[in-house]
Amino acid sequence: MKKQFDIIAGPCSAESPEQVMECAVSLAAQGIGTLRAGVWKPRTRPNSFEGAGLPALEWLKAAKQATGMKLAVEVASAAHVQAALEADIDILWIGSRTTPSPFAVQEIADSLKGTGVPVMIKNPINPDVDLWTGAIERLQQAGIENIRAIHRGFSSTQENLLRYAPQWEIPIELRRRMPSLPILCDPSHMAGRREYVGAIAQMALDMNADGLFIEVHPNPEQAKSDSLQQFTPSQFQQVISSLRRHRDIEESDSRKLAPMRSELDELDSQLVEILARRMEIVKRIGAYKHLNNLAILQPQRYQSVSDSVAIEAATKGMDEKFIRSVFETIHAESVRCQLENENNNLK
């Protein structure tokens, strides 16, 4: 049995009555049940297209009446919420520029009390799972029960082929914290270019995403915002039909996987034991440094260890970046442990 998931699609921005209607009709014909469109667009710099505002809500209402589709728009304030609800918008989403602000999220949450309107919340631009979690909790505490998260990628100082780095470990951690929370993926913003959207959408399904949030425009080259990442309706149909959808794990799969998982559990136990023994040695080293007035951080030693394990990992077919990140975490904990002992000695 294949896993059921939602697909929400539509233009980055509602730009005209004709554009909204054309997009809605073409997507409805493909079986898409929810039309997304930006009405108020938070832009990095002024003098860019910041959305059509209130008139766009009327265009969306007309598209809903013509197609029967549900409507989803982004809100960033209580005034946006009030206008959207008056326009009979079905689903609201909080964007990645609003999520980082506890004040803005709380204002939106308070304005939604008692409405029962579904809310989707995008991850903050910066990779901060606590900030994302906190924003969701604010909605929950306001009594909003129908909440979904949207993973749209994160800003990064590292050079990346994509517009925003996926950093899959963050939505994985969010799912661990909130197992019942549906998480959709926005491959359009993550990719930044339409030629990469399909591959990221497939990755999202491979990562067990609950749905996709994709930008579609009748004429992307003429779009007033994010023209490079939007599909035409026909491109969208082609990509969606090519996606490989996974079935749920059945009892027979679990039986076949059980021996391999048992091996992993044993190795994980050994890893914890080895790390515990390593930290005992770290504490002894820290005590020696304290007694002999030596600095805790020894950069040359750390660089030597990092290079050595990276070379050894390469001989075993492991990714160098991965192994360096593992030892970066181990080293950070080692330094923290020695600093803690140093502070205890100063008391």
Side-chain angles (χ1 to χ4, degrees):
M1 179 179 177
K2 293 180 179 178
K3 184 178 185 291
Q4 296 296 314
F5 64 99
D6 295 328
I7 300 178
I8 297 173
C12 174
S13 304
E15 299 166 354
S16 71
E18 297 78 15
Q19 173 240 20
V20 170
M21 185 64 74
E22 183 179 352
C23 197
V25 169
S26 61
L27 289 173
Q30 296 181 37
I32 302 302
T34 303
L35 177 73
R36 56 134 293 153
V39 171
W40 302 278
K41 299 294 298 180
R43 308 307 296 276
T44 301
R45 300 181 66 180
N47 303 320
S48 302
F49 177 66
E50 296 184 318
L54 294 177
L57 293 175
E58 296 302 316
W59 310 338
L60 290 168
K61 285 175 64 176
K64 180 177 182 177
Q65 291 170 356
T67 64
M69 298 179 79
K70 292 183 178 180
L71 303 174
V73 302
E74 179 178 355
V75 294
S77 68
H80 290 171
V81 170
Q82 181 178 353
L85 295 182
E86 289 175 354
D88 198 27
I89 301 299
D90 302 280
I91 304 168
L92 307 179
W93 86 78
I94 298 173
S96 60
R97 288 178 172 83
T98 306
T99 302
S101 171
F103 294 113
V105 174
Q106 190 63 57
E107 177 186 328
I108 293 169
D110 290 342
S111 68
L112 284 168
K113 285 182 178 178
T115 64
V117 176
V119 180
M120 301 182 292
I121 183 160
K122 289 193 173 186
N123 61 258
I125 288 183
N126 294 324
D128 189 335
V129 70
D130 288 330
L131 201 54
W132 199 5
T133 304
I136 294 166
E137 289 172 340
R138 288 181 184 277
L139 295 173
Q140 291 174 332
Q141 290 177 6
I144 301 167
E145 297 180 355
N146 193 339
I147 302 172
R148 286 179 284 181
I150 301 176
H151 172 216
R152 51 88 76 198
F154 303 88
S155 62
S156 173
T157 56
Q158 298 179 353
E159 186 175 347
N160 199 308
L161 182 68
L162 306 177
R163 183 179 180 186
Y164 293 103
Q167 295 195 233
W168 299 104
E169 67 275 12
I170 294 180
I172 288 173
E173 172 59 17
L174 182 67
R175 191 180 291 281
R176 185 194 68 80
R177 296 181 180 191
M178 300 178 167
S180 62
L181 177 75
I183 302 178
L184 282 66
C185 178
D186 177 351
S188 301
H189 275 91
M190 209 177 290
R193 299 183 68 88
R194 67 181 63 87
E195 56 262 37
Y196 304 135
V197 171
I200 297 173
Q202 184 60 63
M203 289 181 195
L205 295 187
D206 294 343
M207 298 297 290
N208 208 27
D210 296 292
L212 298 171
F213 195 75
I214 298 182
E215 292 187 347
V216 181
H217 191 291
N219 193 347
E221 288 73 19
Q222 295 183 9
K224 295 181 179 181
S225 58
D226 289 344
S227 61
L228 296 178
Q229 68 193 36
Q230 300 191 66
F231 283 142
T232 64
S234 60
Q235 289 170 335
F236 170 77
Q237 184 177 37
Q238 183 177 3
V239 168
I240 293 301
S241 62
S242 69
L243 293 175
R244 185 181 68 257
R245 306 184 187 185
H246 302 285
R247 61 181 176 81
D248 292 334
I249 288 183
E250 298 176 355
E251 187 176 344
S252 59
D253 299 308
S254 296
R255 286 197 302 269
K256 292 176 182 177
L257 289 170
M260 291 178 281
R261 287 174 168 172
S262 180
E263 285 185 65
L264 283 180
D265 291 344
E266 178 62 28
L267 289 171
D268 288 343
S269 179
Q270 292 177 27
L271 279 173
V272 172
E273 176 62 27
I274 290 170
L275 287 172
R277 286 161 53 192
R278 190 185 193 280
M279 288 305 162
E280 287 300 319
I281 298 173
V282 164
K283 292 176 183 178
R284 300 208 309 265
I285 291 174
Y288 180 87
K289 288 176 180 176
H290 174 74
L291 290 173
N292 292 276
N293 196 29
L294 298 173
I296 288 175
L297 184 61
Q298 299 289 327
Q300 290 182 332
R301 163 66 181 170
Y302 171 54
Q303 188 63 53
S304 174
V305 171
S306 180
D307 290 343
S308 176
V309 296
I311 291 171
E312 185 176 356
T315 65
K316 294 176 168 56
M318 298 179 69
D319 181 72
E320 178 183 334
K321 185 178 179 181
F322 162 70
I323 204 68
R324 284 188 185 275
S325 69
V326 169
F327 273 82
E328 180 180 332
T329 301
I330 292 173
H331 180 258
E333 176 61 15
S334 299
V335 170
R336 187 203 65 78
C337 186
Q338 291 187 26
L339 280 172
E340 185 178 80
N341 287 342
E342 183 74 11
N343 291 334
N344 290 336
N345 288 325
L346 293 176
K347 290 179 180 178

